[in-house]
Amino acid sequence: MTDFLLRLFVKNRNDLKNERVRAAHATLAAVTGIVMNVLLFVGKLTMGLLTASIAVVADALNNLSDAGSSVVTMIGFRLAAKPVDKEHPLGHGRFEYITGFIVDAVIIFVGAELFITSVERIFSPTAPSVGTATFIILGASILVKLWLFFFNRKLGKRIDSAALKATALDSISDCVSTALVFFSALASKLGWLSGFPLDGVAGILIACLILLAGFKSAKEIIDLLLGSPPSPEFIQEIYDFTAQYEQIVGIHDVMVHDYGPGRKIVSFHAEVPSDCNINYAHEIIDGVERDMYERFRCIVTIHLDPIAVGDEQVNKMRAFADECAKAIDPAFTIHDFRMTQGETVTNLIFDLVVPADSSYSVADAVKAVEQEIKRRNEHCFAVIRGEHPYV
């Protein structure tokens, strides 16, 4: 069904790097969500009011908020697809994240309101009067929401959209909440737990599920806005891509700035042999930047780092420094290694990368490695610059 809708409404649907194609995916998801949720809202609200069931009314209002969220998501994609301008030279891609956060805020607000209303129903219970039509509406709702989950999840993965993934998560939580309403109505119909405010309790459970989904999704969006690290798979792709150039010995200090889907800026240091012609090395680096743009659609800036690759003594001392660093913590790594040799003292100059979750602070790690080098070889003096990784 999803593929059929894509073929019907999205032109050039496989050109996923095209902003217009991404926006068309989002529009399809939003319009589908609006239509489905409005129909479910009307059906559930009608049944909820006729049967005096707070749980059914709560579920109906949840569908109405979902329809509103779809509208906000569609607007967000439209704004995110705007081209760059003087005030926003990196584009408007983060509008998608902002609208995703608005959707989550609406979900949290609805969940809080339903929680309060359901608590009031517990203290002022009213037995709902449910019929066959109610069960038909609720059963159909579960099936529709389950389909919307798979639908939005597939589109979210296709265009790597945090907003659509959040919508998919909301759909599966709706399935669970509607299932609770269904069994609550069934219990009332069969007279189970007579005298127990089952309708209000079901409403509270639904509200808690809505709040949980809203807070979880909001945290993910906030992480993106604050600057969460890129996926390990994307970083590995960068390492694998640069490894195909034999002139590049290695890379380090990889940084990725995310300005919205399809708007990433990548920078890193590329190590090249120090005896390489500088003009030739610059030409190679320029080519890598162009090739990476074609491959990843990212703006790439590469800093050239010359290193000695044929000097046996330098290689030996680099291995020595790396061994000392790993003796303190196996997760430590070094780069930008240089060496100056005097008559009595050898200076080992390098950068030490300390993982963000290390038990060592950067300063303590630097001091510990310096002491370890001095302990193993009193003729060596370490000049270390410590840092946390950027990815």
Side-chain angles (χ1 to χ4, degrees):
M1 184 63 176
T2 302
D3 291 332
F4 171 74
L5 291 174
L6 285 171
R7 287 194 299 270
L8 192 62
F9 295 107
V10 180
K11 295 182 179 180
N12 303 319
R13 63 187 183 280
N14 293 323
D15 186 13
L16 299 178
K17 295 185 183 299
N18 187 311
E19 288 302 313
R20 290 187 176 182
V21 174
R22 293 189 79 257
H25 276 73
T27 301
L28 174 61
V31 171
T32 303
I34 291 168
V35 172
M36 293 296 187
N37 281 299
V38 167
L39 291 174
L40 291 176
F41 164 72
V42 172
K44 289 180 185 178
L45 183 65
T46 302
M47 289 298 105
L49 293 176
L50 290 175
T51 60
S53 171
I54 186 62
V56 175
V57 172
D59 212 28
L61 293 176
N62 186 27
N63 290 138
L64 182 61
S65 73
D66 291 342
S69 297
S70 295
V71 174
V72 174
T73 299
M74 184 166 58
I75 294 172
F77 271 91
R78 294 286 184 181
L79 293 173
K82 290 175 60 179
V84 299
D85 54 36
K86 184 177 180 180
E87 288 77 22
H88 307 93
L90 295 173
H92 302 78
R94 284 184 176 172
F95 261 124
E96 185 178 328
Y97 299 157
I98 294 171
T99 53
F101 182 75
I102 293 173
V103 169
D104 294 330
V106 171
I107 291 170
I108 293 170
F109 175 77
V110 170
E113 286 293 314
L114 294 180
F115 184 88
I116 294 171
T117 305
S118 299
V119 170
E120 292 173 350
R121 175 55 64 92
I122 288 178
F123 290 101
S124 301
T126 300
S129 175
V130 296
T132 304
T134 303
F135 293 111
I136 293 174
I137 288 292
L138 294 176
S141 176
I142 293 172
L143 294 176
V144 169
K145 281 296 184 176
L146 190 61
W147 178 78
L148 283 175
F149 163 70
F150 289 110
F151 176 71
N152 286 304
R153 187 180 67 168
K154 183 170 183 176
L155 295 187
K157 287 182 177 180
R158 276 178 63 85
I159 63 174
D160 190 24
S161 167
L164 290 187
K165 290 175 184 177
T167 303
L169 181 65
D170 184 43
S171 295
I172 200 64
S173 70
D174 288 346
C175 281
V176 178
S177 63
T178 303
L180 283 174
V181 178
F182 185 93
F183 288 111
S184 171
L186 182 62
S188 298
K189 181 71 173 178
L190 299 178
W192 296 342
L193 300 175
S194 180
F196 183 77
L198 187 59
D199 192 49
V201 172
I204 289 177
L205 291 175
I206 295 168
C208 289
L209 288 172
I210 294 170
L211 288 170
L212 181 63
F215 280 118
K216 182 179 179 181
S217 183
K219 179 185 179 301
E220 294 174 357
I221 297 293
I222 290 172
D223 287 342
L224 287 170
L225 289 171
L226 290 177
S228 60
S231 69
E233 293 79 13
F234 180 66
I235 296 302
Q236 189 59 51
E237 281 190 88
I238 293 176
Y239 275 89
D240 293 342
F241 188 87
T242 55
Q244 65 182 310
Y245 299 87
E246 61 180 19
Q247 300 85 356
I248 297 180
V249 179
I251 65 173
H252 59 267
D253 282 353
V254 180
M255 298 179 67
V256 179
H257 301 278
D258 189 344
Y259 289 91
R263 293 179 175 84
K264 288 186 174 67
I265 296 179
V266 178
S267 66
F268 57 84
H269 292 207
E271 299 168 352
V272 299
S274 58
D275 57 358
C276 180
N277 179 278
I278 187 66
N279 291 322
Y280 175 66
H282 184 267
E283 182 182 340
I284 294 299
I285 294 302
D286 275 353
V288 175
E289 290 175 344
R290 289 193 299 269
D291 293 345
M292 289 189 68
Y293 178 79
E294 291 298 322
R295 169 65 178 81
F296 301 106
R297 290 297 173 184
C298 297
I299 299 173
V300 181
T301 302
I302 304 175
H303 173 78
L304 189 150
D305 269 346
I307 64 168
V309 295
D311 191 314
E312 184 177 342
Q313 183 62 17
V314 171
N315 291 337
K316 179 181 177 181
M317 296 310 293
R318 178 190 173 98
F320 168 70
D322 187 57
E323 182 182 336
C324 291
K326 284 183 165 41
I328 303 302
D329 189 327
F332 289 175
T333 58
I334 70 171
H335 61 78
D336 278 352
F337 181 87
R338 304 184 303 282
M339 183 180 85
T340 60
Q341 197 163 10
E343 293 185 4
T344 59
V345 175
T346 298
N347 293 314
L348 307 182
I349 308 164
F350 58 89
D351 292 351
L352 176 70
V353 181
V354 181
D357 58 354
S358 174
S359 59
Y360 288 87
S361 67
V362 170
D364 289 343
V366 167
K367 184 176 181 180
V369 174
E370 288 174 346
Q371 291 174 345
E372 181 66 12
I373 289 175
K374 191 69 174 177
R375 184 186 70 80
R376 295 193 182 199
N377 189 335
E378 62 181 9
H379 298 293
C380 286
F381 179 77
V383 180
I384 304 174
R385 185 177 75 90
E387 61 183 18
H388 284 309
Y390 298 107
V391 296

